[in-house]
Amino acid sequence: MHGFHTQPDTDGALRLLTGLGLGAAMPNSTTLLSEYVPERSRSVLIAIMFTGFNLGSGMVGFAAAWLIPLHGWRSVLIVGGALPLVLVPFLLLLLPESVRFMVVHRLAAPRIAATLSRVCR
């Protein structure tokens, strides 16, 4: 990792992309959760989700405090970048598409029914 240098414009562009990704995570999570959970427990589950976001943000500090003495400050960036990439296949496999999206894009009715039956068990 020695000799790894970036220019300020590259850092700015990467920071912008990170901000866009993180900024999109919360509204998308809220939308999917509110679409798929029963109305009677929706508010409680959304509150738990928001608490989980904040708890996860706080846990990053503890992870960084553990990683930095062992592997240096760059390890936090590597783990923080690699972990979401490792999760992508699981999200693609397990995260359902929004029913509204499927209807607007005129996907086949059996596919919409299969998604609803999988989520609404």
Side-chain angles (χ1 to χ4, degrees), residues 2 8-9 29 31-32 44 46-47 53 67 72 74-75 93-95 101 105 120:
H2 297 290
D9 56 343
S29 300
T31 301
L32 276 174
V44 171
I46 289 175
F53 264 79
L67 280 170
R74 288 185 176 110
S75 66
L93 183 66
L94 299 173
L95 190 64
F101 177 87
H105 286 84
C120 301

Side-chain angles (χ1 to χ4, degrees), residues 14-54:
L14 292 173
R15 185 166 262 233
L16 175 69
L17 289 172
T18 301
L20 289 173
L22 292 174
M26 183 70 77
N28 282 317
S29 300
T30 306
T31 301
L32 276 174
L33 185 67
S34 64
E35 185 171 334
Y36 283 120
V37 299
E39 193 171 335
R40 67 184 180 281
S41 57
R42 186 173 298 154
S43 59
V44 171
L45 291 173
I46 289 175
I48 291 170
M49 184 206 65
F50 277 105
T51 303
F53 264 79
N54 293 326

Side-chain angles (χ1 to χ4, degrees), residues 11 20 36-38 55 59 63 65 74 76 81 92 111-112 114 118:
D11 289 342
L20 289 173
Y36 283 120
V37 299
L55 190 64
M59 296 303 290
R74 288 185 176 110
V76 176
L92 291 173
R111 181 173 173 191
I112 296 171
R118 191 177 108 212

Side-chain angles (χ1 to χ4, degrees), residues 56-112:
S57 297
M59 296 303 290
V60 169
F62 291 108
W66 176 73
L67 280 170
I68 291 172
L70 294 173
H71 304 289
W73 64 269
R74 288 185 176 110
S75 66
V76 176
L77 301 178
I78 292 168
V79 170
L83 190 59
L85 294 176
V86 168
L87 294 175
V88 165
F90 296 102
L91 291 173
L92 291 173
L93 183 66
L94 299 173
L95 190 64
E97 186 58 73
S98 167
V99 171
R100 288 184 184 110
F101 177 87
M102 290 190 284
V103 169
V104 167
H105 286 84
R106 297 188 177 133
L107 297 178
R111 181 173 173 191
I112 296 171

